Amino acid sequence: MLTMSKQSGSGSLELVTPATTPLVTVAEMKSHGRHDTIPEGDEFMEGLVEAATGRARDLTGRAFLTEAWRLTMDRWPGTGADEWWNGVREGIPSLFESGSFLIRKAPFLVVSSIKTIDEDGAETEWPSSNYFTTTEAGFGRVAKRQGQTWPLIVPPVRSVGGIRIQFTAGYGTDPTDVPAPIRHAVKMIAQHLYENREAQEIPNAAAMILSRYKVIG
């Protein structure tokens, strides 16, 4: 599965490695729906759980189980293409450079790497000692340490998509790490899809639960 979304004015987000553990087991669905067996087979219910999880993820904008993501940017926030000349910064960097920026995927966990990409695809990693991360409202904030400047985005670095930031997001690796109301909403959606094979909508009760976890910003 490849998922891409746009960060407002600050690059694009791409799901690199999705979680493979189901958020809800077939056994839990049997208990939830009071089924002794699933006539169509367990794989059928597993597919419904996957579909229900996808709908819940889309509604909330959150990662549930731990996933690997990539943020791709053309330039560092607070800088512009007109602020460069022949590969040399004009003025004092601190006057126009933002010292930090948000990664708008919640719940943010950790940055794995920050790299610049050359025209030929070669990657250069920026040392992790040059920056640190914090969390704000579930988002990640990447901040350069005092005295550091962001890597130059000049040839041979790509002018488009020359910055790649790998990070992880999610509540944890175990389904029980995910808030119980979210998992309950997924059960409700999966059961609804089981009972209404052509349904496009989700139960109002599930939508109300998930609305409390919708990412804002």
Side-chain angles (χ1 to χ4, degrees):
M1 177 187 295
L2 184 66
T3 299
M4 296 191 69
S5 60
K6 198 75 174 176
Q7 287 209 141
S8 178
S10 56
S12 60
L13 289 168
E14 177 184 350
L15 176 59
V16 178
T17 307
T20 57
T21 302
L23 197 57
V24 176
T25 66
V26 172
E28 288 176 308
M29 285 305 306
K30 289 178 179 178
S31 176
H32 177 81
R34 297 184 176 86
H35 304 293
D36 292 327
T37 61
I38 304 295
E40 298 85 352
D42 287 358
E43 288 187 359
F44 180 76
M45 182 58 77
E46 289 171 355
L48 295 181
V49 169
E50 183 177 354
T53 302
R55 294 198 182 186
R57 188 186 297 113
D58 291 343
L59 280 172
T60 61
R62 291 180 177 269
F64 296 148
L65 294 173
T66 300
E67 302 171 330
W69 285 77
R70 178 188 297 129
L71 169 61
T72 301
M73 301 190 295
D74 298 339
R75 60 182 62 92
W76 304 105
T79 65
D82 58 347
E83 292 163 347
W84 307 90
W85 183 257
N86 292 333
V88 179
R89 283 181 172 149
E90 295 183 341
I92 302 172
S94 62
L95 291 181
F96 58 77
E97 262 194 358
S98 174
S100 67
F101 60 90
L102 282 179
I103 297 178
R104 297 182 180 276
K105 174 55 66 174
F108 168 84
L109 290 175
V110 65
V111 166
S112 305
S113 66
I114 296 178
K115 298 178 180 179
T116 55
I117 314 299
D118 290 354
E119 293 288 354
D120 60 3
E123 299 180 342
T124 301
E125 184 166 357
W126 200 44
S128 59
S129 58
N130 291 342
Y131 64 91
F132 63 92
T133 62
T134 59
T135 56
E136 295 181 15
F139 294 146
R141 180 171 289 281
V142 181
K144 59 184 179 181
R145 295 190 181 277
Q146 290 189 16
Q148 299 296 331
T149 57
W150 303 116
L152 295 175
I153 309 304
V154 294
V157 177
R158 295 175 180 175
S159 60
V160 176
I163 304 167
R164 288 181 186 168
I165 300 169
Q166 301 280 149
F167 67 97
T168 54
Y171 289 99
T173 58
D174 192 291
T176 59
D177 294 331
V178 179
I182 291 178
R183 297 181 69 242
H184 182 64
V186 168
K187 293 177 189 177
M188 295 171 66
I189 297 171
Q191 182 64 28
H192 179 73
L193 295 175
Y194 181 76
E195 296 172 351
N196 303 273
R197 303 299 168 89
E198 303 300 324
Q200 298 297 317
E201 77 288 347
I202 67 172
N204 289 334
M208 290 181 64
I209 291 172
L210 294 173
S211 68
R212 304 205 308 264
Y213 293 90
K214 186 174 182 178
V215 171
I216 305 298

